[in-house]
Amino acid sequence: MSNVLFDVPGPKARVRHRLMAVLGIVAVAAILTYIVYRFYDSGQFTARKWQWLQYTQVQRDLVTALLATVKAFALGAVLALVFGAIFAAGRLSDHAWVRGVSTFIVEFFRAIPLLILMFLFYYGAPALGVTLPPFAAVVLGLTLYNGSVLAEVFRAGVQALPKGQSEAAYALGMGKTQVMTLVLIPQAIRSMLPTIISQLVVLLKDTALGFLVTYPELLYYARYIGSQGAFSRPIVPSTIVVAAIYIALCLLLTALANFIERRQRRSKKHVETERPPATEDVVGVA
Amino acid sequence: MDVLLDNLDLYGPFFWTTIKLFLISGVASLIFGTFLAGLRVSPVPVFRAIGATYVTLLRNTPLTLVFVFLVFAYPLLEILELSYFTAAVVALTIYTSAFICEVVRSGINTVPVGQAEAARALGLTFSQILGQIVLPQAIRSVVPPLMSTLIGMLKNTTIAAGFSVTEAGAIRQYLSERGDNQLIGLLWVALGFIILVAILSFAQRALERRWSVAR
């Protein structure tokens, strides 16, 4: 749509655009060169700072740390989906008290910062005589926070379906449970799948918060190896390496979301619904 | 209640730091995010590519990682010394801007084609069309998601606690040094955030009512 903002450039505009492009490239290149020069000048590119990557033990530890991240992500994702499904059903219930309780829980966990939730489980729980390992604190936090967000996504998906779908199902004599499980939910999941996966990208990024409750995941390991005097403290190289890993993982998930969306647009089974406006969490700040 | 009353000297100033972090980074990300959105719809392909690359990279990086880089790695580059608070503002801004950019861009897409066409027919330049016709309408139409992004940023300020900024998320650490009950202390912090989020949601609804564009 952006092309309505400007005309197809004529000869003069083309020259002007080319000039601006050159200026833009020069400006960005200047900034990047300066940064790279600072990296170089402060000795971040010396062989010694990158040597750690060659050690098999370090590589093995890096993979272990990556697996810890993936483990927290996988368990957190599954539990958050279950939590989301349960509380979305609760918020769509016909019984006022079930709706009330579910709404309260969902709104409560959505308003508290995820890090505070993890702190509650890791540092707060011992006051009750329960000591949780960092892994449990991370997964519980991820489940409650992202689960609440997913509950809203599921609910929005069901509510965005055309009214005729449930009316027709009721007219056939189906009960509420049948209408939900046989008619509404399969369609809602289909249309919400891209949004659900974007939320899982957020969940994957959130596992990095485990760093702050001493869960030995990828970022934690980057910080650890970055402080090793034996490799002359390669914190700059190690953050660059884990940043690349995180970005690659997230892009893979995003690519999956885009692939599903494209395939759905072609499929005839897909019911066109009005996409509810993105909420902050779907946009993915965390 | 005792934990709160005994430590009011913590809760007051620390929550105030949270609010300062939120306000400064919020304004900065709105400005920078809108600038990025401008890049992403500009007629110059190179500018669009620069904007897209920035957004893709930052949206797929954990915020904690941005913090780690700015607090532990950036000082080694010896460019410009940043205090912990400034580093937190920079981290929150460069991260949140990427999301603000996407929201503003989706807002630009909601402005009817006729608006830009009429402006072009009047001979306005691209920056005039964007700044005076399209953006004012676009921003009004995305007030709800924009505020939601800022609410997300408010919650993200807690991450600064792990990086020596004395804001609300750091209260716990000081309570533990004083030997107070951390569970109760954290529940008060949580309540503080629930109140702040409620205030922002209220502002969101008020703005939505006042600013919605009649179409």
Side-chain angles (χ1 to χ4, degrees), chain A residues 4 7 110 205 280 285, chain B residues 59 95 120 148 155-156:
Chain A
V4 300
D7 281 306
R110 253 158 46 106
K205 291 197 299 171
E280 101 254 15
V285 177
Chain B
R59 287 221 312 172
Y95 180 81
R120 259 163 51 198
S148 307
K155 291 185 274 181
N156 283 341

Side-chain angles (χ1 to χ4, degrees), chain A residues 76-88 143 147 150 154:
Chain A
V78 171
L79 291 178
L81 287 169
V82 173
F83 183 93
I86 292 172
F87 283 92
T143 303
L150 283 173
F154 291 146

Side-chain angles (χ1 to χ4, degrees), chain A residues 9-27:
Chain A
K12 255 190 187 166
R14 268 208 298 273
V15 172
R16 206 169 54 232
H17 288 170
R18 223 165 282 159
L19 192 72
M20 277 157 73
V22 171
L23 284 179
I25 292 176
V26 168

Side-chain angles (χ1 to χ4, degrees), chain B residues 187-207:
Chain B
L187 286 174
W188 283 112
V189 174
L191 183 68
F193 273 99
I194 292 175
I195 293 171
L196 288 178
V197 169
I199 294 172
L200 282 177
S201 317
F202 179 76
Q204 175 180 353
R205 270 193 296 276
L207 278 179

Side-chain angles (χ1 to χ4, degrees), chain A residues 42-60:
Chain A
S42 56
Q44 303 305 330
F45 291 142
T46 52
R48 193 149 163 258
K49 292 238 185 205
W50 291 84
Q51 222 177 19
W52 55 280
L53 270 173
Q54 292 182 336
Y55 288 80
T56 20
Q57 185 56 43
V58 172
Q59 289 166 358
R60 226 174 273 142

Side-chain angles (χ1 to χ4, degrees), chain B residues 148-171:
Chain B
S148 307
T149 310
L150 289 179
I151 291 175
M153 199 199 73
L154 170 72
K155 291 185 274 181
N156 283 341
T157 58
T158 49
I159 297 177
F163 301 90
S164 314
V165 181
T166 49
E167 47 75 47
I171 290 174

